[in-house]
């Protein structure tokens, strides 16, 4: 799946994954890869700035720990993030249903 | 895992590419953790350490790309709550008006109710300025620990006026100037808002100190002109206040108000 197709939906995907967290960045990307069967093919490093933005927006909170001598940042959903995830899910369902009604509708009957 | 040099070389390049961003160290630390973990996974799958590092770096994306995305994401208003920063922008816009009207009433009317209103407006300009600064800092994601300390200094500085006469005033102004300059440097590094008004914001107090020092050293009286550089600060602050105020209102859930594009972030 191309990055431009994903544009606009990445926040919901990240919030939905971190909802089951806490997850560190690599685990978030692994989850994304597994849950989509690898269909989403982004440069992995581009996920981090999006996670940072969601944190600045107060939707995620992060904590640092040390694992194998490396600093590791783990993300959890805040109360605002849970609310945003619910809201974005609802909007996505409504949007997907609307699009499905159009693209999944039978073609206009034509005379044979 | 053994380091074969590819990951460390990449991290040095990334560090250089994100050098202007305030959370540079965190970005590099997360990248290091990710790359090492991915390389370990690939080694477990049977790749040689060299191949694993090369593949991990390739999947992560180029340092230039990551740096560009970091800046783009920092500039994105869509999921940054702007409802409160817009109010702070309005406070920044009002600050010079409070100062001008307050000073006019304070000087033109000797005493009484109207004079009191003037003093009240002058006093209100201080929290309005601090709130505007807070909004600018919040719009830049808090600016880390340094931003937090600078903001705390800015909040504390007005109270120092009450400490001991002129010394208190000078200490308060010095601390506020330092706080503003630190915040502006960090905001410039974050690269979110326009550069010119940010520079103007910091130039004013520095200009006042330089002007007073130069005139005093020359044996003159700096009293009449010392405040002129603050016009630059006022211009920058109003400019930035307008920038904050004119952003689309988005609440902490990422929901846009008054827009057909709601939910399309």
């Amino acid at each position: 799946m191309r990055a431009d197709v994903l544009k606009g939906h990445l926040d919901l995907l990240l919030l939905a994954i971190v909802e089951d967290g806490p997850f560190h960045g690599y685990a978030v990307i692994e989850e994304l890869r597994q849950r989509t069967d690898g269909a989403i093919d982004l440069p992995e490093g581009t996920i981090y700035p999006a996670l940072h933005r969601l944190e600045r927006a107060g939707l995620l909170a992060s904590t640092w720990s040390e694992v194998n001598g490396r600093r590791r940042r783990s993300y959890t959903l805040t109360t605002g993030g849970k609310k945003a995830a619910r809201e974005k899910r609802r909007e996505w369902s409504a949007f997907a249903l609307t699009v499905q009604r159009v693209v999944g509708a039978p073609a206009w009957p034509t005379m044979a | 895992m053994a380091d074969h040099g590819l990951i460390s070389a990449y991290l040095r390049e990334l560090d250089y590419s994100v050098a202007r961003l305030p959370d540079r160290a965190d970005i590099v630390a997360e990248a290091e953790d990710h790359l090492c973990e991915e390389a370990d996974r690939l080694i477990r799958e049977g790749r040689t350490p060299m191949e694993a590092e090369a593949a991990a770096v390739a999947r992560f994306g180029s340092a230039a790309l990551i740096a560009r995305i970091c800046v783009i994401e920092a500039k994105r208003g869509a999921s940054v709550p702007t409802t409160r920063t817009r109010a702070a922008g309005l406070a920044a816009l009002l600050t010079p008006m409070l100062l001008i009207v307050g000073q006019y009433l304070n000087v033109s009317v000797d005493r009484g109710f109207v004079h009191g209103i003037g003093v009240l407006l002058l006093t209100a300009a201080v929290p309005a300025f601090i709130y505007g600064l807070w909004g600018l800092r919040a719009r830049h994601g808090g600016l880390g620990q340094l931003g937090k300390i600078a903001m705390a200094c800015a909040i504390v500085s007005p109270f120092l006026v009450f400490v001991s006469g002129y010394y208190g005033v000078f200490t308060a102004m010095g601390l506020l100037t330092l706080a503003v300059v630190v915040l502006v440097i960090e905001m410039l590094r974050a690269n979110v808002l326009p550069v010119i008004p940010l520079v103007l914001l910091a130039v004013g107090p520095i200009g006042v100190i330089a002007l007073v020092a130069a005139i005093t050293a020359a044996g003159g009286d700096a009293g009449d002109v010392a405040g002129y550089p603050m016009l630059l600060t006022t211009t920058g602050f109003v400019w930035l206040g307008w920038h904050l105020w004119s952003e689309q209102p988005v609440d902490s859930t990422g929901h846009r108000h008054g827009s057909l594009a709601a939910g399309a972030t």
Side-chain angles (χ1 to χ4, degrees):
Chain A
M1 192 178 289
R2 296 190 320 267
D4 57 334
V5 177
L6 190 61
K7 192 179 174 186
H9 308 300
L10 184 60
D11 288 6
L12 172 58
L13 293 175
L14 295 178
L15 291 173
I17 287 169
V18 178
E19 205 168 28
D20 302 331
F23 286 125
H24 65 296
Y26 183 80
V28 171
I29 294 161
E30 269 296 293
E31 279 288 313
L32 192 61
R33 193 161 33 202
Q34 282 176 16
R35 290 194 201 179
T36 62
D37 284 332
I40 290 176
D41 186 23
L42 292 172
E44 292 168 355
T46 60
I47 298 294
Y48 289 93
L51 289 170
H52 300 167
R53 174 173 49 78
L54 292 171
E55 186 181 19
R56 281 195 298 273
L59 306 183
L60 297 181
S62 72
T63 51
W64 287 91
S65 57
E66 192 162 318
V67 179
N68 299 330
R70 301 191 300 262
R71 289 175 68 214
R72 174 167 291 175
R73 189 183 206 169
S74 298
Y75 297 90
T76 48
L77 224 56
T78 62
T79 310
K82 286 173 188 163
K83 192 177 160 195
R86 276 198 302 272
E87 180 73 9
K88 282 179 186 291
R89 264 205 184 91
R90 193 186 56 75
E91 284 169 357
W92 166 252
S93 301
F95 174 72
L97 191 66
T98 307
V99 172
Q100 184 58 31
R101 276 183 193 146
V102 177
V103 300
W108 187 261
T110 51
M111 297 291 285
Chain B
M1 61 165 286
D3 184 2
H4 290 264
L6 281 175
I7 289 178
S8 17
Y10 176 85
L11 292 173
R12 281 196 298 276
E13 191 187 343
L14 182 65
D15 187 46
Y16 178 78
S17 303
V18 299
R20 292 186 65 219
L21 301 175
D23 50 352
R24 160 195 193 174
D26 293 345
I27 293 169
V28 176
E30 272 192 296
E32 182 186 12
D33 187 38
H34 178 104
L35 291 169
C36 290
E37 203 165 343
E38 175 71 354
D40 284 343
R41 186 182 71 86
L42 293 169
I43 289 168
R44 283 196 300 275
E45 283 181 1
R47 304 270 193 109
T48 67
M50 198 67 136
E51 286 172 350
E53 283 194 25
V57 166
R59 286 181 188 184
F60 198 75
S62 75
L65 172 72
I66 304 305
R68 199 169 71 239
I69 300 284
C70 282
V71 171
I72 290 169
E73 290 286 17
K75 284 183 174 175
R76 265 185 71 185
S79 283
V80 177
T82 56
T83 42
R84 286 188 298 168
T85 57
R86 286 182 85 239
L90 187 62
L93 282 171
L94 285 174
T95 304
M97 285 177 230
L98 291 170
L99 280 174
I100 292 166
V101 177
Q103 181 64 2
Y104 174 75
L105 296 177
N106 184 37
V107 175
S108 61
V109 183
D110 193 20
R111 40 180 79 178
F113 178 73
V114 178
H115 178 82
I117 295 289
V119 173
L120 196 68
L121 292 179
L122 274 176
T123 311
V126 177
F129 179 76
I130 302 290
Y131 187 35
L133 267 187
W134 173 86
L136 289 172
R137 175 178 162 257
R139 186 63 185 84
H140 288 79
L143 300 172
Q145 200 64 21
L146 201 56
K148 196 183 281 183
I149 294 167
M151 196 63 225
C153 289
I155 293 168
V156 165
S157 61
F159 297 101
L160 295 177
V161 172
F162 304 110
V163 174
S164 59
Y166 282 112
Y167 290 114
V169 173
F170 288 132
T171 312
M173 287 175 67
L175 192 63
L176 187 58
T177 299
L178 186 67
V180 168
V181 170
V182 168
L183 285 171
V184 165
I185 290 170
E186 290 302 299
M187 284 189 265
L188 286 171
R189 290 179 62 200
N191 193 20
V192 173
L193 294 182
V195 171
I196 296 171
L198 283 172
V199 172
L200 288 176
L201 181 62
V203 157
I206 295 171
V208 171
I209 293 167
L211 201 62
V212 170
I215 294 174
T216 309
D221 179 11
D224 293 338
V225 294
Y228 287 173
M230 289 308 285
L231 288 173
L232 298 174
T233 292
T234 308
T235 308
F237 202 55
V238 169
W239 188 339
L240 292 166
W242 174 252
H243 198 96
L244 288 186
W245 172 245
S246 57
E247 285 186 317
Q248 191 176 34
V250 178
D251 65 21
S252 61
T253 65
H255 199 88
R256 297 179 188 181
H257 296 273
S259 166
L260 289 172
T265 52

